[in-house]
Amino acid sequence: MEELNQKEVSRLRKEIDSVQSRFFHLLSITSVVMMVLAAGFVLRLFPKLIWNLDALETERYYIPQSLCGLFCLVALLCWYVLQQRQSLKSTQKQLISELVRRETAEQLALIDPLTEMDNRRHMTRAIASETARADRQNSMFAFLMIDVNGFKQANDTLGHLAGDQILRELSLLLQKTFRSSDIISRFGGDEFLVLLVDCDQQMAVRAEERLQRAVAEWNKGEPIKGYTMSVSCGSAVCQKGVDATAVLTAADQAMYQNKTAFTPDNQPPKAAAAVV
């Protein structure tokens, strides 16, 4: 489906370019024809420029008819050009509208509507791209899986609107905490996934610790009355030649191990990262 959408967008772009090319050719042909007609018109008005007077004496009676025909030809040509120009403009407008609609739909398909962050579909593309880059450049990257502790209970106690606000607040917190080069997505439900670009084991651990500090700081302001945020994290580092799916699974398992040790009265265990 994604490949089909890309082909459709590419086809629309080519059709728009084709319309623009046809419009340019139409203008070129029109310019040449108008120049030829203008030259003929001038020669009819000033025949002495190329013909002798004796020859013109026999043709002077045909000059009005020729000029009339010339004017008719010019009028028809102008009408044709205007019609073609209008048709090409209409076609181009339709193609551009369709292209904008397709590209907008494609963009919306990659965004989570609640948090306005990248969704799982976009993250899947990013993982494939980053894996290829890591293989080419012999670099490392890390997955950081994040889950909101006690989210279902908060949803049931405070209501679904408060639950939505929790997810939005966490998404904003993630964007402020991590680098602009990192890719953050809502992976599903109350789970978020961060792809840490050019990241080794120590950097992944520090990223987890930085997030926990940011959550603790957020709680001090009590943005949501009656709610204290807590998150569980798990990370895994991917190296060249390693299956990214296995690394993602390792990060997910590390997050669940972190989560099982959580209770409302204590904090999650110390962050740790694994190299797969």
Side-chain angles (χ1 to χ4, degrees):
M1 182 63 70
E2 295 177 9
E3 183 180 355
L4 179 61
N5 290 338
Q6 290 295 331
K7 287 183 177 179
E8 285 296 313
V9 171
S10 178
R11 179 185 63 81
L12 288 172
R13 290 186 181 277
K14 289 181 179 179
E15 289 187 8
I16 291 174
D17 293 339
S18 175
V19 170
Q20 292 175 338
S21 177
R22 286 166 55 195
F23 183 64
F24 175 76
H25 291 161
L26 180 62
L27 289 179
S28 301
I29 293 172
T30 302
S31 300
V32 172
V33 172
M34 292 298 291
M35 290 175 61
V36 173
L37 292 177
F41 184 73
V42 170
L43 291 176
R44 278 299 185 181
L45 290 179
F46 305 99
K48 294 181 181 180
L49 293 177
I50 61 171
W51 291 304
N52 59 58
L53 294 176
D54 294 335
L56 288 173
E57 286 297 325
T58 59
E59 298 181 2
R60 60 192 179 116
Y61 296 106
Y62 297 100
I63 292 178
Q65 294 90 332
S66 299
L67 291 177
C68 181
L70 185 61
F71 281 127
C72 291
L73 182 60
V74 171
L76 288 174
L77 178 63
C78 291
W79 176 83
Y80 172 76
V81 170
L82 290 175
Q83 288 292 103
Q84 289 296 312
R85 183 173 180 272
Q86 188 66 26
S87 175
L88 289 175
K89 273 193 169 184
S90 176
T91 302
Q92 185 182 41
K93 185 177 180 180
Q94 293 176 2
L95 289 173
I96 290 176
S97 297
E98 179 66 13
L99 178 62
V100 170
R101 187 185 69 81
R102 292 291 181 93
E103 290 186 336
T104 301
E106 180 70 12
Q107 184 178 9
L108 290 175
L110 301 175
I111 296 176
D112 173 59
L114 176 62
T115 61
E116 297 184 352
M117 299 182 68
D118 296 335
N119 61 13
R120 187 167 185 162
R121 183 183 180 191
H122 183 274
M123 178 58 79
T124 301
R125 292 185 179 183
I127 291 173
S129 177
E130 186 61 24
T131 300
R133 190 181 76 87
D135 289 340
R136 289 194 310 270
Q137 301 180 5
N138 194 24
S139 59
M140 293 191 298
F141 63 93
F143 292 119
L144 177 58
M145 188 71 76
I146 303 162
D147 183 86
V148 181
N149 295 321
F151 179 74
K152 184 178 184 302
Q153 181 180 359
N155 227 0
D156 295 339
T157 304
L158 303 176
H160 291 286
L161 293 179
D164 291 344
Q165 186 180 354
I166 292 171
L167 296 179
R168 284 193 292 265
E169 289 287 337
L170 178 56
S171 67
L172 293 174
L173 194 62
L174 295 176
Q175 294 179 58
K176 294 177 181 178
T177 302
F178 296 103
R179 303 168 298 178
S180 59
S181 59
D182 297 328
I183 303 171
I184 310 168
S185 72
R186 184 185 178 192
F187 207 60
D190 60 332
E191 290 186 353
F192 292 80
L193 176 63
V194 183
L195 193 159
L196 301 167
V197 179
D198 294 324
C199 179
D200 58 19
Q201 183 176 4
Q202 292 183 350
M203 293 173 64
V205 171
R206 288 198 297 268
E208 290 188 53
E209 294 172 344
R210 189 166 66 250
L211 175 59
Q212 294 293 358
R213 290 195 299 269
V215 171
E217 190 66 26
W218 181 89
N219 284 326
K220 292 179 181 179
E222 297 185 359
I224 303 177
K225 297 299 180 181
Y227 175 74
T228 300
M229 183 184 293
S230 174
V231 297
S232 294
C233 303
S235 63
V237 179
C238 184
Q239 302 181 85
K240 179 180 178 180
V242 178
D243 183 12
T245 303
V247 180
L248 182 59
T249 301
D252 191 55
Q253 291 174 348
M255 184 271 293
Y256 273 105
Q257 289 176 2
N258 188 285
K259 192 176 183 66
T260 54
F262 168 81
T263 63
D265 298 327
N266 72 345
Q267 293 296 321
K270 185 177 179 180
V275 178
V276 179

